[in-house]
Amino acid sequence: MGLLMSFMGKSLPSTQMLSLVMGTLHSKFMEKEINCFDDFHIAILDMFNTINGALPGKHYDVPPPNKVQEIFVQWEAAKESERKKLFVDFMKASVTMSKFDDSVLMAGLVTPPAAMAAKRAGETLPQLKMIKVVPDVIFVPSATVLALISAKLSKKMFLGNVAS
């Protein structure tokens, strides 16, 4: 227990940790060959994929393509020595934590019982008799996934921030 307690409180300060992470990300980013915007965008997407895969439970949203396009124009015009600072500033400014949506949570909680009730009601109607063939194990998760997808897409379309 004493050994464990001796290590507590001895982590890197946040500025050093941020510098270490940004330096690592930049070196990974610079390993890729970037000749055009598509290469740059793929490198950014790959980096966010790496970040989201490495941090369990925390996911970060990728910046919209128009912001990536703006930074690419600046990055391409910058000197080699200024590119790292430009990249680090962009990452600090544009990396945002993904927020869990309440509508998705409600759809995930309400859909399974509603799907079972709809299936039971559908089994009594002559037009929907064939719904009995579909097992509950397949019907309920399928209905839940479809409800989650439609909740997420409809909210994004309603707010007008669909990434394209």
Side-chain angles (χ1 to χ4, degrees):
M1 184 74 170
L3 181 64
L4 178 65
M5 295 305 277
S6 67
F7 288 117
M8 291 187 70
K10 298 201 192 257
S11 63
L12 289 175
S14 60
T15 55
Q16 286 180 341
M17 188 58 124
L18 184 62
S19 175
L20 176 70
V21 169
M22 287 300 172
T24 305
L25 288 176
H26 183 260
S27 64
K28 283 264 195 211
F29 182 75
M30 292 310 290
E31 287 176 2
K32 299 183 182 346
E33 185 176 331
I34 298 171
N35 298 322
C36 62
F37 171 70
D38 289 334
D39 295 339
F40 186 82
H41 196 232
I42 288 172
I44 294 282
L45 291 174
D46 187 41
M47 187 177 350
F48 274 90
N49 192 22
T50 303
I51 293 170
N52 288 336
L55 299 173
K58 291 185 179 183
H59 291 281
Y60 296 92
D61 291 331
V62 179
N66 58 356
K67 282 190 177 181
V68 176
Q69 178 76 37
E70 289 172 12
I71 197 66
F72 174 69
V73 171
Q74 295 173 8
W75 184 82
E76 198 173 36
K79 296 177 188 171
E80 192 69 35
S81 59
E82 297 171 359
R83 285 184 173 181
K84 181 175 181 178
K85 182 181 180 334
L86 191 65
F87 173 79
V88 169
D89 290 343
F90 169 71
M91 290 301 289
K92 285 180 183 177
S94 65
V95 172
T96 57
M97 189 84 120
S98 182
K99 294 179 178 76
F100 195 70
D101 198 6
D102 289 338
S103 62
V104 174
L105 178 65
M106 290 305 295
L109 291 174
V110 170
T111 303
M116 285 301 298
K119 185 170 189 275
R120 296 290 178 250
E123 289 173 352
T124 61
L125 296 173
Q127 296 87 351
L128 300 176
K129 280 275 192 204
M130 66 186 289
I131 204 168
K132 281 185 176 180
V133 176
V134 180
D136 292 344
V137 175
I138 294 174
F139 184 78
V140 174
S142 300
T144 304
V145 167
L146 288 174
L148 291 172
I149 290 171
S150 66
K152 191 76 167 173
L153 286 178
S154 63
K155 179 127 185 183
K156 282 192 177 227
M157 287 179 9
F158 178 69
L159 295 177
N161 60 355
V162 175
S164 59

